């Protein structure tokens, strides 16, 4: 990271210099460490510039000129998601920065860093990657500027973009540049994107599949009657030489495997042309169509290359990278990581590091296909798992080398905790599949759901000497878990520290269908098993469900029904999430276009309504926190507007109180803020009065009655906080 470290290593220069928006933590959960150690293992000298001051080019000259190329990344998170809330407000902290200090990276960090390294050393190739570049590889809707932006290749002026899991592509690119090949000639590596002249094709054998318009009804030709007697053309038969000899084409009967192989070979030489930037930036229907086509071309087994015009140049995307095999995953995670932040940070607290320092990543990828999530677009749908010995070795390494380890592994997981080693039962079916999700609308019959290998891993992990507890902190796919009651029992009995996070996201079918999430019945089934095995283990344990407000397709009525479900089940959520449209996600397409890309897109296709205004989004979020005093005026107004004023009152059946003493003259009493419960009043004001005078002081009699509040049910979380059980994550 410094010239002094280069001198200590005897380096006069670096082969590759990586620039990142995160603090440098040498741990495989952080992209820069993984990339740096991977290239180091190939014999290259790697320098890392972490969180440079981007206001000038000088900090980018700290390690000198790289011999091969610059590698640019915003970090583990998209810089816009990292810096802004769902309401477009600047966050007060940054988990990937020492002491959580904010504003240590610029907006659109990939673009800014790429521009600065060009200034620092013109002529050196620039390669961009990580999730920010990956999710902006084609024209995309940008929530923060509320417009469709061009591919990041144009804005950054990078020579090459590596998307998805980049290990293979990165090693290939580095070797070829080191061998003297120009980066502008590297055009055949999976998982890479670059700019070309319009009409460019790799060679003459390639064909173009045009998908620049939605399907419309074409001309329907009348079907000939097979029994009609056609009039004989005597002249045509007059001489033998009147007509050319017919060309005989033998009928070839192919097996299913032969047809699939022929289709794969054709796909390898076919590029799909998406609607261009100028079209999708002005036509929502075409944007939705392009999004659907893009996601259908995401399976590495059958995906074709994509090309999209941007004015005088095209963005060319090669097919997605092939998943790493298990031994390749092991090699990546077994590299000699220091497993600590760089010493230059001293004793600074880095929140993201504190979160994962005692956790182990056992897999990557997710076949859930949730429309609001970016994992699928970045890591893919095929699960890539590490071997059991590799995982157990890392646990032992944590035990032996990580400072302050007290015996608890905080997570064995990844994007989804219980997808470890789950895969399609037939490799040929997997390679030909074009489903957007393996578990929606139902779990595919070809998907293996056997959790036995994961159960075995859990048992061996907690048997390691010196390990007292193995917790599961990653999100759980509960509709898969209920297929294996033995797994649920193992999890609940040994690997839950009192609380288990799961994500139903919503309760209403209309919204869940736009999320591609299972119905709430799957949650009920999992809860039944969870409660059963917790009771058998003699433990008081609780599920903590996560929900999303203002998701596309979610109406005011949907959010009200969710709030009533929360109240019925006595959930009082403190942390809730408002939908944030991230680039290229299918839910973002719904938000921007009001069209549903999960189905065929036309001018007349389904319209998806969504909360776009700040006021509506705030109201949807308020429904999730119906018990908080500051949300009551918002909810009263929304309920009156919806014609559900019957839910305003001070009884058990009401959602929000008609009046609360903390609202006297617009002031809040500290004790009442803490209590935040509904208060009874002998004569609650009418709905009209509430609407006219939401801050009206109560009469003396009402004030006296309020002094004896009805007995409210305690929050589950409050109960847990009062009597903590076991370690907390």
């Amino acid at each position: 990271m410094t010239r002094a470290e280069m001198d200590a290593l005897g380096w006069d220069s670096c082969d590759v210099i990586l620039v990142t928006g995160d603090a440098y933590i040498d741990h495989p959960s952080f992209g820069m460490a993984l990339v740096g150690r991977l290239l180091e293992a190939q014999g290259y000298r790697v320098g890392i510039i972490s969180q440079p001051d981007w206001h000038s080019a000088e900090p980018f000259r700290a390690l000198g000129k790289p011999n091969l190329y610059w590698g640019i990344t915003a970090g583990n998170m998209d810089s816009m998601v990292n810096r802004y809330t769902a309401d477009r407000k600047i966050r007060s902290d940054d988990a990937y920065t020492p002491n959580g200090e904010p504003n240590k990276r610029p907006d659109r960090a990939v673009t800014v860093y790429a521009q600065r390294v060009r200034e620092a050393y013109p002529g050196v190739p620039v390669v961009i990657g990580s999730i920010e570049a990956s999710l902006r590889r084609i024209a995309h809707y940008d929530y923060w500027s509320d417009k469709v932006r061009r591919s990041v290749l144009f804005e950054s002026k990078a020579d090459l973009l590596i998307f998805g899991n980049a290990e293979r592509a990165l090693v290939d690119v580095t070797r070829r540049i080191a061998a003297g090949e120009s980066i502008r000639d590297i055009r055949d590596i999976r998982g890479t994107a670059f700019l070309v002249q319009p009409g460019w094709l790799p060679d003459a054998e390639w064909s173009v599949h045009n998908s620049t318009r939605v399907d419309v009804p074409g001309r329907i030709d009348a079907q000939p009657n097979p029994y009609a007697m056609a009039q004989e053309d005597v002249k045509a038969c007059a001489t033998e030489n009147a007509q050319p000899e017919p060309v005989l084409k033998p009928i070839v009967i192919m097996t299913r495997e032969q047809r699939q192989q022929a289709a794969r070979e054709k796909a390898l030489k076919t590029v799909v042309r998406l609607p261009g930037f100028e079209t999708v930036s002005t036509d929502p229907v075409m944007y939705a169509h392009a999004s659907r086509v893009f996601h259908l071309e995401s399976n590495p087994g059958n995906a074709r290359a994509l090309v999209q015009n941007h004015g005088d140049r095209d963005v060319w995307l090669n097919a997605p990278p092939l998943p790493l095999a298990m031994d390749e995953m092991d090699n990546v995670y077994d590299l000699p990581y220091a497993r600590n932040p760089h010493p230059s940070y001293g004793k600074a607290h880095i929140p993201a590091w504190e979160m994962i320092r005692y956790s182990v990543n056992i897999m990557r990828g997710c076949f859930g296909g949730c429309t609001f999530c970016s994992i699928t677009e970045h890591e893919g749908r095929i699960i890539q798992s590490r071997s059991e010995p590799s995982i157990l070795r890392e646990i032992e390494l944590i035990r032996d080398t990580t400072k302050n380890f007290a015996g608890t592994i905080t997570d064995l997981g990844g994007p989804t905790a219980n997808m470890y080693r789950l895969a399609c039962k037939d490799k040929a079916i997997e390679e030909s599949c074009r489903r957007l999700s393996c578990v929606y609308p139902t779990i595919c019959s070809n998907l293996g759901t056997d959790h036995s290998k994961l159960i075995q891993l859990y048992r061996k992990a907690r048997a390691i000497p010196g390990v007292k507890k193995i917790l599961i902190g990653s999100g759980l796919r509960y509709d898969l878990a209920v297929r294996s009651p033995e797994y649920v029992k193992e999890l609940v009995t040994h690997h839950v520290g009192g609380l288990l996070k799961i994500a139903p996201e919503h309760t209403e079918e209309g919204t869940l269908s736009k999320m591609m999430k299972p119905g709430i019945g799957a949650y009920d089934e999992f809860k039944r098993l969870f409660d059963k095995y917790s009771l058998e283990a003699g433990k008081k344990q609780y599920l903590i469900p996560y929900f999303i407000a203002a998701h596309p397709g979610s109406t005011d009525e949907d959010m009200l029904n969710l709030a009533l479900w929360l109240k019925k089940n006595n959930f009082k959520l403190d942390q809730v999430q408002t939908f944030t449209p991230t680039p290229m996600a299918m839910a973002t397409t719904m938000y921007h276009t009001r069209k549903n890309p999960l189905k065929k897109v036309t001018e007349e296709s389904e319209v998806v309504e969504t909360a776009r205004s700040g006021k509506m989004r705030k109201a949807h979020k308020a429904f999730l926190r119906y018990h908080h005093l500051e949300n009551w005026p918002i909810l009263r107004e929304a309920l009156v507007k919806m014609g559900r004023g019957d839910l305003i009152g001070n009884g058990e059946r009401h959602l929000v109180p008609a009046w609360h003493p903390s609202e006297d003259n617009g002031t809040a009493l500290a004790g009442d803020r803490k209590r935040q419960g509904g208060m009874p009043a002998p004569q609650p004001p009418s709905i009209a009065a509430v609407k006219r005078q939401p801050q009206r002081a109560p009469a003396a009699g009402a004030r006296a009655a309020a002094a004896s509040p009805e007995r409210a049910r305690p929050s589950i979380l409050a109960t847990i906080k009062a009597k903590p059980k076991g370690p907390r994550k």
Side-chain angles (χ1 to χ4, degrees):
M1 284 185 67
T2 65
R3 286 279 191 171
E5 290 176 339
M6 290 174 62
D7 294 339
L9 292 167
W11 295 1
D12 58 349
S13 62
C14 295
D15 296 320
V16 179
I17 297 180
L18 308 174
V19 182
T20 176
D22 291 342
Y24 177 46
I25 300 173
D26 194 21
H27 186 282
S29 292
F30 294 83
M32 280 301 91
L34 190 149
V35 168
R37 292 297 184 188
L38 179 67
L39 292 177
E40 178 192 46
Q42 302 296 316
Y44 300 105
R45 295 172 295 182
V46 182
I48 292 181
I49 298 177
S50 168
Q51 297 188 319
D53 181 355
W54 66 92
H55 295 95
S56 73
E58 193 57 35
F60 296 83
R61 298 189 179 101
L63 302 181
K65 181 179 180 179
N67 301 325
L68 301 180
Y69 63 84
W70 293 97
I72 307 297
T73 167
N76 270 23
M77 285 182 68
D78 182 283
S79 63
M80 302 302 288
V81 176
N82 179 281
R83 291 200 69 220
Y84 295 91
T85 69
D87 297 324
R88 300 189 179 98
K89 296 179 180 178
I90 295 180
R91 297 184 189 274
S92 59
D93 58 3
D94 182 343
Y96 292 88
T97 301
N99 295 321
E101 186 178 348
N103 303 318
K104 297 294 287 186
R105 75 187 79 212
D107 290 353
R108 314 187 198 286
V110 165
T111 295
V112 175
Y113 290 159
Q115 292 170 348
R116 286 291 181 257
V117 300
R118 290 283 196 203
E119 295 175 27
Y121 294 106
V124 178
V126 176
V127 179
I128 59 176
S130 78
I131 192 165
E132 178 166 314
S134 189
L135 297 185
R136 288 171 164 79
R137 55 190 185 263
I138 61 171
H140 56 278
Y141 173 74
D142 182 80
Y143 171 65
W144 298 272
S145 58
D146 194 24
K147 67 178 183 179
V148 177
R149 300 179 74 100
R150 298 187 301 173
S151 164
V152 70
L153 278 164
F154 282 90
E155 298 188 346
S156 67
K157 297 181 173 57
D159 297 291
L160 193 69
L161 185 156
I162 300 180
F163 60 87
N165 298 311
E167 288 91 352
R168 280 205 191 95
L170 193 69
V171 171
D172 286 349
V173 167
T174 309
R175 285 178 176 172
R176 289 169 66 168
I177 295 177
E181 189 172 351
S182 170
I183 194 170
R184 297 185 182 279
D185 296 330
I186 300 176
R187 296 289 184 261
D188 58 346
I189 297 178
R190 276 178 169 264
T192 60
F194 42 85
L195 300 179
V196 294
Q197 294 299 317
W200 178 87
L201 293 173
D203 57 53
E205 296 182 3
W206 278 71
S207 61
V208 179
H209 177 81
N210 191 350
S211 190
T212 57
R213 61 186 180 85
V214 296
D215 295 334
V216 295
R219 186 184 68 180
I220 300 177
D221 295 323
Q223 295 294 319
N225 185 348
Y227 302 103
M229 298 296 294
Q231 187 175 357
E232 184 178 358
D233 188 347
V234 180
K235 294 182 180 179
C237 303
T239 63
E240 291 183 0
N241 298 325
Q243 295 290 328
E245 289 291 329
V247 178
L248 299 178
K249 294 184 179 181
I251 297 175
V252 178
I253 300 177
M254 302 173 67
T255 65
R256 178 185 177 187
E257 290 72 18
Q258 289 173 325
R259 290 196 304 273
Q260 290 176 339
Q261 181 61 29
R264 280 194 291 268
E265 291 176 357
K266 183 179 179 181
L268 291 174
K269 294 284 186 176
T270 301
V271 61
V272 178
R273 179 165 287 281
L274 300 173
F277 165 73
E278 286 74 13
T279 300
V280 299
S281 62
T282 57
D283 188 337
V285 173
M286 294 308 300
Y287 184 101
H289 168 71
S291 174
R292 177 171 172 78
V293 173
F294 174 88
H295 284 86
L296 288 173
E297 299 294 338
S298 60
N299 182 346
N302 58 49
R304 296 168 287 185
L306 300 172
V307 65
Q308 185 179 51
N309 179 257
H310 286 60
D312 60 350
R313 283 191 288 179
D314 284 350
V315 175
W316 182 286
L317 284 76
N318 282 325
L322 295 173
L324 296 183
M326 182 173 286
D327 61 335
E328 293 173 315
M329 283 280 286
D330 289 350
N331 289 337
V332 169
Y333 283 89
D334 288 345
L335 293 170
Y337 302 96
R339 304 188 67 84
N340 275 301
H342 191 269
S344 63
Y345 300 127
K347 295 183 179 180
H349 169 70
I350 305 176
W353 159 243
E354 298 296 334
M355 185 188 305
I356 58 88
R357 66 187 305 182
Y358 305 126
S359 68
V360 179
N361 195 337
I362 65 175
M363 47 77 69
R364 64 167 62 149
C366 180
F367 50 68
C370 301
T371 61
F372 52 82
C373 182
S374 301
I375 292 173
T376 299
E377 285 86 353
H378 184 58
E379 295 190 4
R381 291 183 175 84
I382 297 176
I383 303 303
Q384 302 163 68
S385 301
R386 297 169 61 185
S387 71
E388 189 179 272
S390 175
I391 296 167
L392 298 179
R393 282 196 301 270
E394 184 172 348
I395 296 175
E396 293 173 341
L397 192 63
I398 294 173
R399 177 198 63 189
D400 298 337
T401 64
T402 304
K403 189 177 180 180
N404 299 324
F405 178 66
T408 299
I409 297 295
T410 55
D411 191 21
L412 290 183
T416 306
N418 62 321
M419 287 187 183
Y420 177 71
R421 300 189 69 171
L422 298 189
C424 191
K425 297 175 182 177
D426 188 319
K427 190 67 177 176
I429 293 176
E430 178 185 85
E431 291 179 348
S432 62
C433 181
R434 295 176 71 83
R435 279 184 62 159
L436 296 175
S437 170
C438 298
V439 292
Y440 185 85
T442 58
I443 296 176
C444 179
S445 59
N446 294 310
L447 177 66
T449 59
D450 181 10
H451 285 59
S452 60
K453 291 184 174 63
L454 186 56
I455 295 171
Q456 177 178 290
L457 174 64
Y458 286 177
R459 291 172 177 171
K460 290 185 177 181
R462 67 174 185 265
I464 294 176
V467 174
K468 300 176 183 177
K469 188 81 172 176
I470 301 281
L471 299 177
I472 303 304
S474 296
L476 192 76
R477 191 79 195 199
Y478 52 84
D479 52 340
L480 284 173
V482 296
R483 292 286 186 99
S484 176
E486 183 185 4
Y487 169 75
V488 179
K489 183 176 182 179
E490 189 79 15
L491 174 76
V492 171
T493 305
H494 300 286
H495 302 287
V496 176
L499 303 176
L500 180 66
K501 297 182 296 184
I502 59 172
E505 310 296 5
H506 217 283
T507 58
E508 303 308 294
E509 186 59 36
T511 304
L512 291 169
S513 69
K514 303 302 184 295
M515 296 176 168
M516 287 211 298
K517 292 283 289 185
I520 199 65
Y523 166 85
D524 294 334
E525 174 63 15
F526 180 79
K527 185 178 185 304
R528 184 186 66 79
L529 292 175
F530 182 89
D531 292 342
K532 173 185 174 183
Y533 295 128
S534 292
L535 182 63
E536 290 180 3
K539 295 182 176 181
K540 289 185 178 181
Q541 300 183 139
Y542 304 92
L543 292 176
I544 302 301
Y546 281 74
F547 298 93
I548 295 180
H551 191 278
S554 184
T555 64
D556 293 346
E557 288 73 17
D558 290 336
M559 294 307 302
L560 171 58
N561 290 336
L562 173 52
L564 294 173
W565 184 90
L566 291 171
K567 177 169 178 148
K568 176 183 176 182
N569 289 276
N570 198 27
F571 283 118
K572 295 183 178 180
L573 310 179
D574 287 325
Q575 295 181 344
V576 299
Q577 179 182 0
T578 304
F579 170 69
T580 302
T582 53
M584 286 191 357
M586 299 193 84
T588 301
T589 298
M590 299 178 200
Y591 176 90
H592 170 58
T593 68
R594 298 174 68 233
K595 290 292 183 180
N596 184 4
L598 301 177
K599 302 176 182 178
K600 184 176 178 180
V601 178
T602 66
E603 294 281 356
E604 292 76 29
S605 61
E606 178 187 6
V607 174
V608 180
E609 298 295 347
T610 185
R612 292 183 59 91
S613 70
K615 183 176 181 180
M616 190 173 179
R617 286 168 64 84
K618 190 174 183 180
H620 280 206
K621 184 177 180 180
F623 275 114
L624 292 182
R625 304 177 82 228
Y626 66 91
H627 54 288
H628 276 252
L629 179 147
E630 62 266 25
N631 290 326
W632 292 344
I634 300 171
L635 292 177
R636 289 183 191 124
E637 181 180 352
L639 290 171
V640 170
K641 184 177 179 181
M642 295 167 62
R644 294 305 309 271
D646 58 299
L647 294 174
I648 302 173
N650 301 89
E652 183 68 18
R653 68 182 183 85
H654 297 116
L655 184 64
V656 294
W659 163 83
H660 188 275
S662 295
E663 297 176 287
D664 284 0
N665 301 319
T667 62
L669 303 176
D672 290 322
R673 267 196 183 277
K674 290 181 180 179
R675 185 164 57 249
Q676 291 181 350
M679 299 295 188
Q683 295 180 344
S686 67
I687 300 305
V690 169
K691 190 173 182 181
R692 288 195 307 271
Q693 297 177 322
Q695 306 296 337
R696 187 174 67 176
R703 196 187 304 271
S708 302
E710 65 184 19
R711 191 169 185 177
R713 292 174 299 174
S715 164
I716 286 179
L717 292 181
T719 304
I720 296 169
K721 291 174 183 175
K723 298 180 179 180
K725 296 284 288 184
R728 292 287 180 267
K729 187 171 184 302

